[in-house]
């Protein structure tokens, strides 16, 4: 289950980065919506595992 949380955190991180860099505002908004969806998935997985989402960070792979 922890692997699922990491996948969602990484996806949320990457979608947010794409939204921040996208010049087309309509596309940026879609990326930001995807970020919010993936973040909510991570929050749901974390809650089921009694983990604090605030303490979970994107992996080195997502950051590179």
């Amino acid at each position: 289950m922890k692997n699922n949380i990491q996948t969602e955190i990484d996806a949320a991180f990457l979608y947010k980065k794409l939204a921040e860099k996208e010049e087309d505002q309509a596309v940026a908004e879609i990326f930001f919506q995807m970020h919010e969806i993936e973040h909510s998935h991570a929050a749901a997985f974390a809650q089921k595992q009694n983990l604090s989402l605030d303490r979970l960070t994107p992996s080195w792979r997502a950051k590179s």
Side-chain angles (χ1 to χ4, degrees):
M1 185 71 87
K2 177 109 167 61
N3 196 25
N4 292 343
I5 296 169
Q6 192 63 59
T7 299
E8 301 296 341
I9 290 169
D10 288 353
F13 173 81
L14 292 170
Y15 279 124
K16 187 174 182 185
K17 289 296 179 187
L18 287 169
E20 291 170 351
K21 301 287 184 184
E22 180 56 54
E23 293 180 11
D24 183 323
Q25 191 57 38
V27 175
E29 181 59 31
I30 292 168
F31 284 143
F32 188 74
Q33 289 173 5
M34 294 301 296
H35 154 75
E36 290 180 327
I37 291 167
E38 297 300 337
H39 184 78
S40 71
H41 293 164
F45 281 126
Q47 184 177 22
K48 286 182 183 180
Q49 292 290 310
N50 294 320
L51 298 171
S52 172
L53 191 57
D54 296 335
R55 301 189 72 176
L56 302 173
T57 60
S59 70
W60 63 270
R61 288 188 297 177
K63 291 180 181 180
S64 56

